[in-house]
Amino acid sequence: MLRKLLRIALITLLSGIALSVLLVLSLRWINPPVSALLLERQVSAKLAGHSYDSKLQWTPWAALPDHLKMAVIAAEDQQFANHHGFDIAAIQAALVHNQSSTSSIRGASTISQQVAKNVFLWSSRSWPRKALEAWFTLLIELLWSKERILEVYLNIAEWGPGIFGAEAAAEYHFQTGAPYLSNQQAYLLAAILPSPLTRSLQPPSAATLQRARWISRQVQQLGAGHYLNKLKQQPAWTTKLRETIEDILSF
């Protein structure tokens, strides 16, 4: 009986692994029509007896403006081009901060981790969810290019109530399309990403304007176009796997 249960558990585990690999691999070429976060918002609203209008319209990589790509990298994950899904130094710094501070919690999620969570998982914090997040982060780093990861992020990120993706965000906040965002508009959108449901751009607060100015300076320091060129320099998946394992072991 025990052997049969173990066999069933092993088959279930291997099936789950295979399905997750196939799912992530397919999204290397297929644009996700919806995200898990959007579905979660819809279900939560329905259970609460509220309506939930959402907008998500895909904008391909080539049409997304470089200054928006760089603004989001500068705001959310400046090591995006260099890490393999996990920013070990940021995680260690966050652990030290959170252990010593009672007034604020510092996060250390990379853009890759946010894509893994928002596309495939649920938003509540728990160890099972974090374990699955790590697994999906590893998969997308191995199977997608950095450009693809950022493209998906920019198209599924939440930028307001029911506002998902750069196109919906540009229309909602600035009445324009994502390809036509100005530099300042891109910096303002990046500035509200940590709390898009509580930060408004109509009009932007002094804190949001200050953060947008900081993002502008960070974009210049990162090298803008030079930084985006680094995203094209993709090592072989075997090299990425080895370096990812080394990162995890070093932590």
Side-chain angles (χ1 to χ4, degrees):
M1 184 64 178
L2 178 59
R3 182 176 298 179
K4 183 178 180 180
L5 290 175
L6 289 175
R7 186 183 299 116
I8 293 173
L10 179 60
I11 292 173
T12 302
L13 175 62
L14 293 177
S15 298
I17 291 173
L19 287 173
S20 63
V21 171
L22 288 174
L23 175 60
V24 174
L25 183 60
S26 69
L27 293 183
R28 176 173 177 169
W29 300 283
I30 300 171
N31 299 330
V34 70
S35 70
L37 179 61
L38 193 159
L39 291 175
E40 181 182 334
R41 296 282 193 247
Q42 290 177 333
V43 170
S44 297
K46 186 173 183 179
L47 292 175
H50 305 307
S51 61
Y52 187 82
D53 296 326
S54 61
K55 296 180 181 179
L56 191 158
Q57 181 179 340
W58 194 269
T59 306
W61 174 261
L64 291 165
D66 287 354
H67 45 270
L68 177 62
K69 299 169 186 174
M70 283 304 306
V72 169
I73 289 172
E76 296 289 286
D77 184 3
Q78 295 190 10
Q79 293 300 314
F80 178 64
N82 305 316
H83 64 62
H84 307 290
F86 309 94
D87 189 341
I88 304 302
I91 292 173
Q92 292 173 333
L95 287 174
V96 172
H97 172 84
N98 295 339
Q99 289 171 355
S100 60
S101 175
T102 58
S103 59
S104 64
I105 298 295
R106 178 184 298 176
S109 291
T110 62
I111 286 175
S112 304
Q113 288 175 275
Q114 292 181 57
V115 169
K117 179 187 69 174
N118 291 343
V119 173
F120 302 107
L121 304 170
W122 60 97
S123 62
S124 62
R125 295 177 179 272
S126 65
W127 285 112
R129 200 271 286 164
K130 293 298 290 184
L132 287 171
E133 178 187 305
W135 169 246
F136 277 104
T137 298
L138 175 62
L139 287 182
I140 65 175
E141 279 282 339
L142 290 175
L143 300 176
W144 299 359
S145 67
K146 286 287 188 178
E147 289 182 342
R148 179 58 173 171
I149 295 171
L150 185 57
E151 178 188 22
V152 172
Y153 179 77
L154 289 172
N155 277 286
I156 56 91
E158 187 175 33
W159 256 300
I163 307 302
F164 290 86
E167 181 64 29
E171 293 177 1
Y172 177 76
H173 291 290
F174 301 113
Q175 296 75 55
T176 189
Y180 310 106
L181 287 166
S182 68
N183 285 25
Q184 178 63 11
Q185 289 169 339
Y187 300 148
L188 286 169
L189 284 179
I192 64 170
L193 272 179
S195 306
L197 298 182
T198 58
R199 296 186 182 184
S200 174
L201 293 179
Q202 302 170 356
S205 66
T208 298
L209 289 171
Q210 182 178 6
R211 180 164 173 78
R213 288 191 292 270
W214 177 84
I215 290 171
S216 174
R217 294 192 298 270
Q218 295 302 303
V219 167
Q220 297 305 313
Q221 292 179 14
L222 288 172
H226 173 71
Y227 190 102
L228 291 177
N229 286 334
K230 291 170 64 177
L231 301 185
K232 301 177 182 179
Q233 301 168 6
Q234 291 290 298
W237 74 269
T238 51
T239 302
K240 291 198 286 185
L241 177 59
R242 174 178 55 79
E243 292 176 342
T244 301
I245 292 173
E246 289 175 353
D247 279 350
I248 294 173
L249 291 177
S250 70
F251 176 67

